Amino acid sequence: AYQRLNKNKITMVTPPSHGGCEMATFRKRNGLWQVQVRNRKIGSLSKSFHKKIDAQNWAKEQEVLMQSGKWSKTQTSNYTLKDLLTKYNNKITPSKKGSKVENRKLRRLLKEKDLMKIPLERLHSPNLAAFRDKRLKDGVRACQYDLVLIRHAWNIACIEWGWDLGNNPVEKIRLPKNNPPRERRLKPGEYERLKKASSETKVWYLWPIIDFAIETGMRRSEILGIMWKHIGIGKKRVLLPLTKNGSSRWVPLSNRAMEILDQAPRTTDHVFPITDVALRQSWERLRNRANLIDFTFHDLRHEAISRMFEKGLNVPEVASISGHKTASQLFRYVQVNPKKLKTLN
């Protein structure tokens, strides 16, 4: 039975024998019919509809679930993609090794207002395909990362949180293909341009980090993670306790690398006590001043590994330094200048 309270509010009263279901309340606001189903034993659930008949049918369905004992507070009908990714960021991301990076990427993704406001039950592959095409303008890797995050969050919600979400919509769209391996190395005169531009900044750590990256082939995160206690001075090497591939490795240090460390101030436990964000911002300003817009910090790793082969090191030796598990992974970083190769006798 329905009881009209006013023009825009209707209450559907259910018989008291319905296992604690008291009533469903309907309210029209901002052009939508808002419905709340309440149960004095297990709680309530709300949702909005464009049509009143849809709201009434949904309310009946929820009451049936309540009566049959299949309803729970983890009902996800009204959850949006923003709700899903926010919980993922709070519950799952902090336990990951790269939590800071993932947290930054999730916070950026959560700013996609049009995508984030879509209820999960209405999030379909066309929505994500449109987002993919838009995000590709920012780069393939950035687009891939966002879609993989959404896919994993959806799977975690279904498997571990008990959310009844159905098929993962990310699985139904094409992920963008990887770009071909970069072949960018320092060209004649560019090393000097970077060094000159570095001398014009008060950021003391910038040039030592760049030079150290070229000497060791280490990743940005690995360099920032070095602590003084990890350096074996007598054996000229540094220990990386936890790397991107999940294992530790020792990296040999050249005479130049040792000089860089000797000149660094020992004021904290870390050799370079700055954040990833600070280094990113300093690097961006530096390459703008040096007019090397197409040269990334990660290209320094290409430069370092290529130099190792030019010096005559073999594949196992370079792989042990760089941390690559397979030769195919390693060769993506190699662009050798034939003129600099050591000739065989």
Side-chain angles (χ1 to χ4, degrees):
Y2 292 91
Q3 178 183 356
R4 180 176 294 276
L5 301 181
N6 55 48
K7 181 179 180 182
N8 289 328
K9 187 174 181 181
I10 298 176
T11 298
M12 181 174 67
V13 182
T14 56
S17 60
H18 281 187
C21 292
E22 295 177 346
M23 62 181 64
T25 302
F26 301 80
R27 182 189 303 272
K28 193 172 185 180
R29 176 177 294 179
N30 298 327
L32 295 176
W33 280 95
Q34 298 175 349
V35 54
Q36 181 184 58
V37 179
R38 291 180 291 173
N39 184 293
R40 59 177 177 268
K41 292 183 179 180
I42 56 179
S44 64
L45 186 65
S46 302
K47 194 174 180 182
S48 298
F49 296 87
H50 290 284
K51 297 181 180 180
K52 181 172 69 174
I53 186 63
D54 293 334
Q56 293 170 344
N57 291 337
W58 178 83
K60 293 177 182 179
E61 292 175 1
Q62 301 312 307
E63 290 192 341
V64 170
L65 291 173
M66 288 179 176
Q67 296 162 22
S68 63
K70 296 180 180 180
W71 188 90
S72 70
K73 290 185 178 181
T74 58
Q75 289 284 325
T76 57
S77 301
N78 217 30
Y79 287 4
T80 63
L81 183 57
K82 181 178 181 180
D83 297 325
L84 171 62
L85 294 181
T86 299
K87 182 171 181 178
Y88 182 89
N89 194 24
N90 293 334
K91 298 290 186 181
I92 305 300
T93 298
S95 63
K96 295 186 178 182
K97 180 170 68 70
S99 59
K100 291 183 179 179
V101 175
E102 182 167 292
N103 174 262
R104 185 178 68 248
K105 293 182 180 296
L106 278 167
R107 284 189 284 110
R108 196 224 65 81
L109 181 56
L110 286 167
K111 293 179 182 178
E112 296 283 344
K113 295 182 179 180
D114 291 340
L115 185 67
M116 292 301 111
K117 68 183 181 182
I118 300 177
L120 295 177
E121 66 175 10
R122 295 187 217 160
L123 182 64
H124 304 302
S125 52
N127 305 119
L128 293 171
F131 169 71
R132 175 200 62 201
D133 297 341
K134 170 189 171 185
R135 185 69 166 123
L136 273 172
K137 298 177 182 178
D138 300 319
V140 172
R141 293 293 297 275
C143 180
Q144 287 177 332
Y145 205 112
D146 283 354
L147 291 173
V148 168
L149 277 175
I150 295 173
R151 181 176 64 189
H152 191 239
W154 189 286
N155 290 338
I156 287 292
C158 292
I159 297 171
E160 297 189 8
W161 303 341
W163 291 16
D164 185 14
L165 300 179
N167 295 329
N168 195 322
V170 182
E171 303 288 355
K172 297 181 180 180
I173 67 171
R174 294 175 292 110
L175 292 182
K177 295 182 179 179
N178 288 321
N179 290 324
R182 284 180 64 84
E183 298 181 354
R184 186 68 163 90
R185 287 189 60 183
L186 287 171
K187 300 174 183 177
E190 290 185 339
Y191 176 86
E192 291 74 19
R193 283 161 58 185
L194 281 174
K195 187 174 183 179
K196 182 179 183 301
S198 296
S199 67
E200 299 171 358
T201 177
K202 296 181 180 180
V203 182
W204 70 266
Y205 55 77
L206 188 54
W207 181 249
I209 287 179
I210 293 172
D211 227 3
F212 196 78
I214 294 174
E215 288 295 321
T216 63
M218 292 167 57
R219 301 177 178 92
R220 179 178 57 236
S221 60
E222 294 171 344
I223 294 175
L224 296 182
I226 298 175
M227 303 180 72
W228 289 110
K229 66 181 181 180
H230 296 148
I231 299 173
I233 299 298
K235 297 182 179 180
K236 296 176 61 176
R237 61 180 186 172
V238 59
L239 173 65
L240 304 181
L242 188 61
T243 62
K244 183 179 179 180
N245 58 29
S247 59
S248 62
R249 77 175 189 274
W250 284 96
V251 177
L253 300 174
S254 64
N255 291 334
R256 176 57 189 149
M258 291 298 297
E259 290 176 6
I260 295 170
L261 295 179
D262 289 339
Q263 295 169 6
R266 299 198 179 202
T267 55
T268 64
D269 293 335
H270 283 83
V271 177
F272 301 108
I274 45 107
T275 65
D276 180 80
V277 173
L279 179 55
R280 285 174 181 270
Q281 293 174 343
S282 297
W283 169 260
E284 289 300 315
R285 291 192 292 267
L286 173 68
R287 71 176 188 172
N288 286 335
R289 285 197 302 271
N291 195 24
L292 293 177
I293 306 301
D294 65 331
F295 194 85
T296 68
F297 189 93
H298 199 66
D299 287 335
L300 296 173
R301 183 163 160 84
H302 290 247
E303 179 70 24
I305 292 174
S306 298
R307 289 187 181 191
M308 293 176 193
F309 280 106
E310 291 170 353
K311 291 177 181 178
L313 276 67
N314 59 37
V315 171
E317 290 171 335
V318 176
S320 66
I321 297 172
S322 67
H324 289 104
K325 293 294 187 181
T326 65
S328 61
Q329 292 175 339
L330 175 62
F331 289 156
R332 289 176 62 90
Y333 285 79
V334 180
Q335 294 84 38
V336 172
N337 184 344
K339 296 181 180 180
K340 295 185 178 181
L341 283 173
K342 290 183 63 177
T343 58
L344 297 177
N345 296 325

